[in-house]
Amino acid sequence: MKTFWKKILVLVIALAILFTFSGCSLLDNIRGADEDEDEEDEEDEEDEEDEEDEEDEEDEDDENDEEDEEDDEDDEEDDEEDEEEIEETTEPTETTSVGVSLPEQVIFDQENVSVKVTGMEVDEYYGPEIKLTIENKGAKDITVQIGDASINGAMVDFYFSSSVIAGKKANETITSVRNDLENAGIDVIKNIEFKLIIIDSETWDTIITSEPILLTTTGSEGYTQVFDQYDIVALEQDGIRISFGNPLESDAYGVEVPVLVENNSGKAVYISYTETSVNDYMMDFYFYSTVLNGKLAYDRVSFYQTDLEENNIDKISKLDFKIIVYEPNNWDVLAETENITVTFE
């Protein structure tokens, strides 16, 4: 009996051991399967992520390509705009007296001073520029200036002053004002006239003033200057005629009134105004004019916008003034008019 139960006990123990090892192997297999599935899931996720990354990279590449294409298009547009700007800036502009020139010539050689014209250029903004070479052959430093300048018989302002020390030379440029030519209606420069004034740079005493120097351009042969006349005549006596045009708006001032002074009196004159008023309100005229005999001058009477506004003047309809005519060298009064009234439509 005991032997029977021992056999039974041994059999139970053996079965227990068998089931224990079998359970462990089965559990390991299950765990291994789970781990494999997890690894596969991770690999799948990684593959999906890689695919998404590749898609994102492709999208980014596409976007970059599109941006590059847009940039290329913008660059092409910019290049086209630049080309248009270059074409616009390189187009020839209309300038006064294109095609005329001044031949090289010595125009003054006195008092150890020599002045030679070397050419003429037309500046787009300032107008004609006369090129000079000045040689000071003396022992004193000098200053050379310009006076009594005219173009085609119309008075103009020349801006020029050159200091040359003893024994030296200087290349210089006489500059004129384009507005003077436009106001006078000068399209072709035929004649240029002026005086040279030689000054001692130390004492500022005038050493010599030249006779009128007349320069004639080449390329203007056969041209005749015709000047416009103004209809509103304010003065006509003793060879002096002063006429007005209608008021014009001005960016520099406010309003400007064109004035034409013609001098055939036999002497140079300086014109100024006194006792001036606009629309019966007292107001200064910003105007003066020096006109040589046989010449004319197109000038402007200028009024500041602030002065007009202070007097509630929206439109200039009437000017009142007196004219005083001076001798410009000694300022003797040659004539003074009674009150003159000029009206505008």
Side-chain angles (χ1 to χ4, degrees):
M1 188 71 179
K2 290 181 180 178
T3 303
F4 174 76
W5 287 107
K6 284 181 181 179
K7 291 181 179 179
I8 292 298
L9 181 60
V10 170
L11 181 59
V12 171
I13 292 170
L15 290 171
I17 292 169
L18 179 62
F19 281 119
T20 300
F21 284 107
S22 299
C24 290
S25 299
L26 180 60
L27 182 60
D28 290 338
N29 290 332
I30 293 170
R31 287 177 178 171
D34 290 339
E35 289 176 357
D36 292 339
E37 288 178 0
D38 291 340
E39 289 177 0
E40 290 177 358
D41 291 340
E42 289 178 359
E43 290 177 356
D44 292 340
E45 288 178 0
E46 289 177 357
D47 292 340
E48 289 178 359
E49 289 177 358
D50 291 339
E51 290 177 358
E52 290 177 357
D53 290 339
E54 289 178 358
E55 290 176 357
D56 290 340
E57 289 178 359
E58 290 178 358
D59 292 339
E60 288 180 0
D61 290 339
D62 293 338
E63 289 178 0
N64 290 334
D65 291 339
E66 291 177 358
E67 289 178 357
D68 290 339
E69 290 177 0
E70 291 177 358
D71 290 339
D72 291 339
E73 291 176 358
D74 291 339
D75 290 339
E76 288 178 1
E77 291 178 359
D78 291 339
D79 291 340
E80 290 176 358
E81 290 178 359
D82 291 340
E83 288 177 0
E84 290 177 359
E85 288 179 0
I86 291 171
E87 288 177 359
E88 289 177 358
T89 54
T90 54
E91 286 182 358
T93 56
E94 291 186 1
T95 53
T96 300
S97 286
V98 172
V100 303
S101 60
L102 282 175
E104 186 172 304
Q105 55 191 298
V106 175
I107 60 173
F108 183 84
D109 193 359
Q110 298 180 47
E111 300 290 334
N112 292 318
V113 178
S114 175
V115 180
K116 179 171 69 175
V117 170
T118 58
M120 182 179 73
E121 296 178 1
V122 179
D123 185 89
E124 181 180 357
Y125 300 102
Y126 295 106
E129 296 180 336
I130 303 170
K131 305 296 183 179
L132 301 179
T133 297
I134 302 170
E135 182 178 3
N136 181 3
K137 297 178 285 187
K140 296 181 179 180
D141 297 347
I142 61 170
T143 298
V144 181
Q145 296 181 347
I146 296 290
D148 295 343
S150 65
I151 295 178
N152 294 5
M155 304 297 296
V156 297
D157 289 325
F158 276 171
Y159 297 95
F160 179 80
S161 183
S162 175
S163 296
V164 187
I165 64 175
K168 301 298 181 180
K169 300 178 182 180
N171 290 320
E172 299 288 358
T173 300
I174 301 174
T175 303
S176 62
V177 181
R178 174 172 291 276
N179 285 345
D180 287 347
L181 304 184
E182 292 175 350
N183 292 341
I186 296 174
D187 296 322
V188 176
I189 297 175
K190 184 170 184 177
N191 298 312
I192 302 171
E193 187 175 324
F194 55 85
K195 293 178 181 179
L196 289 173
I197 305 169
I198 314 300
I199 300 169
D200 187 317
S201 295
E202 183 177 354
T203 63
W204 284 99
D205 292 334
T206 298
I207 298 172
I208 188 173
T209 298
S210 74
E211 294 297 317
I213 297 170
L214 180 64
L215 305 177
T216 300
T217 62
T218 58
S220 63
E221 295 82 1
Y223 175 78
T224 301
Q225 178 70 53
V226 178
F227 292 108
D228 292 334
Q229 298 289 321
Y230 296 146
D231 295 330
I232 305 172
V233 179
L235 176 68
E236 190 165 11
Q237 68 179 47
D238 300 328
I240 298 174
R241 185 179 189 272
I242 300 176
S243 56
F244 287 79
N246 288 312
L248 303 171
E249 292 185 0
S250 168
D251 293 334
Y253 295 92
V255 176
E256 291 183 325
V257 179
V259 182
L260 171 58
V261 179
E262 300 170 79
N263 181 16
N264 293 294
S265 65
K267 62 184 70 176
V269 296
Y270 176 94
I271 306 294
S272 69
Y273 299 93
T274 186
E275 298 182 22
T276 56
S277 66
V278 179
N279 294 7
D280 294 327
Y281 288 92
M282 299 302 296
M283 190 177 300
D284 292 332
F285 285 10
Y286 299 98
F287 176 89
Y288 67 89
S289 182
T290 299
V291 188
L292 300 180
N293 179 52
K295 309 293 183 184
L296 52 79
Y298 286 86
D299 284 303
R300 301 286 175 96
V301 178
S302 303
F303 302 96
Y304 288 109
Q305 188 63 38
T306 53
D307 292 342
L308 297 173
E309 290 173 353
E310 288 175 359
N311 290 282
N312 298 316
I313 296 175
D314 297 324
K315 178 182 178 181
I316 296 178
S317 58
K318 185 174 72 166
L319 301 179
D320 288 283
F321 53 87
K322 291 181 179 180
I323 296 175
I324 303 178
V325 181
Y326 295 93
E327 204 286 321
N329 293 323
N330 54 30
W331 296 102
D332 289 340
V333 175
L334 300 177
E336 183 173 354
T337 69
E338 298 296 326
N339 184 71
I340 297 173
T341 299
V342 173
T343 59
F344 305 101
E345 296 179 358

